[in-house]
Amino acid sequence: MNQEALKVLESRRSCRAYKPEQITEEELQAVLKAGTYAPTGRGRQAPIIVAVQDKETIDTLNKMNAQIMGNPEANPFYGAPTVLIVLSDKSAPTYFYDGCCVMDNLLNAAEAVGLGSCWIHRAKEEFESAEGKAMLAKWGIEGDYEGIGHCVLGYWEGDKPEAAARKDNYVYYVR
Ligand SMILES: Cc1cc2nc3c(=O)[nH]c(=O)nc-3n(C[C@H](O)[C@H](O)[C@H](O)COP(=O)(O)O)c2cc1C
């Protein structure tokens, strides 16, 4: 039994405060590689990952995300210096699930590498907007993609919180 792998899955927590320092290229590549090895329906590999480390672009996305939240003053990316955007090709019947699997691999790989991470929502609305579509075009991304989520990454600022207690009856057994 790979206890280390199980520990990574249990100890990952959402990080909501980041040091401004950028992560290393080795850390970034390790997380991205894990994302690309997520399971996908029929092995189609429908998702794509956009790794954003340009501060101006992150600030723009952060503002767009806050607007979608209905709170323009919010800081939904928590100052993370890296944002991985997962989008998925809608022509694949399982595109949404595929994208979620990629997101989960990214989050767990971040924990394995020793980084803080958090799933940030509202990528769908972000990339349905004219501004979001223009960004995809600028990045050379063509096709019918839906935004699945953002995995923000960086070094933890402060202590990692304890996990909430797991609810009763999470698991049912039939045996
Ligand atoms: C689909 C989805 C969307 C989420 N969106 C956000 C978000 O926009 N902002 C945020 O701070 N956390 C977001 N989270 C993180 C959850 O709030 C977090 O996973 C949950 O509170 C449990 O905490 P843990 O990740 O530390 O175990 C999201 C998680 C999922 C799975």
Side-chain angles (χ1 to χ4, degrees):
M1 201 177 287
N2 187 337
Q3 296 289 355
E4 276 296 305
L6 293 174
K7 192 167 154 240
V8 164
L9 298 178
E10 283 176 28
S11 58
R12 180 215 52 79
R13 296 277 72 77
S14 294
C15 176
R16 296 192 173 89
Y18 293 88
K19 294 195 167 132
E21 188 186 342
Q22 189 53 275
I23 63 172
T24 67
E25 188 63 23
E26 192 186 3
E27 290 164 339
L28 174 66
Q29 292 304 328
V31 173
L32 289 171
K33 186 172 182 187
T36 68
Y37 276 85
T40 57
R42 300 191 71 179
R44 275 196 188 89
Q45 301 181 35
I48 56 170
I49 309 166
V50 185
V52 186
Q53 293 188 311
D54 171 56
K55 178 142 179 24
E56 211 175 299
T57 307
I58 292 177
D59 288 346
T60 303
L61 291 167
N62 190 59
K63 277 201 190 93
M64 287 166 71
N65 203 284
Q67 295 273 4
I68 296 163
M69 268 173 97
N71 180 3
E73 301 312 312
N75 182 24
F77 292 175
Y78 307 115
T82 294
V83 177
L84 308 182
I85 308 161
V86 175
L87 301 113
S88 200
D89 180 348
K90 286 163 75 176
S91 68
T94 55
Y95 78 93
F96 175 73
Y97 309 99
D98 299 343
C100 292
C101 287
V102 171
M103 283 294 298
D104 207 30
N105 266 26
L106 295 174
L107 296 165
N108 286 312
E111 174 67 22
V113 164
L115 297 172
S117 70
C118 191
W119 180 320
I120 309 300
H121 201 41
R122 297 166 292 280
K124 181 175 189 290
E125 296 83 347
E126 231 169 70
F127 292 99
E128 272 170 0
S129 72
E131 195 178 357
K133 283 184 179 154
M135 284 173 126
L136 292 179
K138 187 177 147 198
W139 300 334
I141 297 166
E142 288 168 8
D144 195 11
Y145 285 101
E146 183 170 302
I148 305 298
H150 315 76
C151 170
V152 298
L153 286 180
Y155 299 124
W156 279 86
E157 178 73 74
D159 295 332
K160 196 181 197 186
E162 285 288 310
R166 300 296 97 176
K167 67 179 182 182
D168 293 335
N169 302 326
Y170 213 137
V171 181
Y172 286 79
Y173 295 93
V174 181
R175 56 189 178 186

